[in-house]
Amino acid sequence: MKTLYTTQATATGGRNGQVKSENGVLEVEVRHPKALGGANEDFANPEMLFAAGYSACFDSALNLVIKNEKITTGETTVSAKVSIGQNDAGGFGLEAELHANIPGVTMEVAQDLIEKAHNVCPYSNATRGNMPVKLTVSND
């Protein structure tokens, strides 16, 4: 891989601590969500941060594909739903559902665009074969 950009974040306290980027732009307290034994839902958690990164990255990949295909669409949105659960080996795993809305095109074109974006997105490439990722699309 030819590296184009590198960043770093540091966590202190694990799931009940703080995450801070090297430049200080991102500084977030993280806590266990209620579903994992946490006290409340007023804090970020690692799955939420992963969903935010994946949705932003996938929307960028989608727009790159749209540009390269020379297709005109309305403003796209991508939502990422990330789940954590126990795997068969006694550890934990993740799964994701990505939903893209691509207005102004047919469903056939929208489906083609989301599948092509899934091959471009670095998050999709990193997770492929490592966790289930379900893709859905709408065009309204």
Side-chain angles (χ1 to χ4, degrees), residues 10-95:
T10 302
T12 304
R15 288 182 163 274
N16 285 308
Q18 181 181 42
V19 178
K20 185 175 181 180
S21 63
E22 65 185 342
N23 66 358
V25 170
L26 178 68
E27 189 170 347
V28 181
E29 286 190 50
V30 292
R31 300 287 185 272
H32 284 284
K34 277 187 177 181
L36 297 178
N40 61 52
E41 298 292 333
D42 295 336
F43 293 93
N45 60 63
E47 292 71 37
M48 188 183 296
L49 296 171
F50 187 83
Y54 203 166
S55 63
C57 188
F58 197 92
D59 194 41
S60 288
L62 177 60
N63 281 281
L64 178 64
V65 169
I66 290 167
K67 179 183 172 188
N68 289 345
E69 298 277 324
K70 296 179 174 65
I71 295 173
T72 301
T73 70
E75 184 176 22
T76 62
T77 59
V78 174
S79 298
K81 185 186 295 185
V82 174
S83 301
I84 185 172
Q86 198 159 10
N87 63 26
D88 294 338
F92 294 90
L94 298 174
E95 61 186 20

Side-chain angles (χ1 to χ4, degrees), residues 73-118:
T73 70
E75 184 176 22
T76 62
T77 59
V78 174
S79 298
K81 185 186 295 185
V82 174
S83 301
I84 185 172
Q86 198 159 10
N87 63 26
D88 294 338
F92 294 90
L94 298 174
E95 61 186 20
E97 294 180 31
L98 299 175
H99 178 79
N101 184 48
I102 310 170
V105 296
T106 66
M107 281 300 292
E108 183 179 350
V109 169
Q111 187 66 43
D112 184 57
L113 290 170
I114 194 174
E115 288 172 12
K116 287 178 178 174
H118 192 46

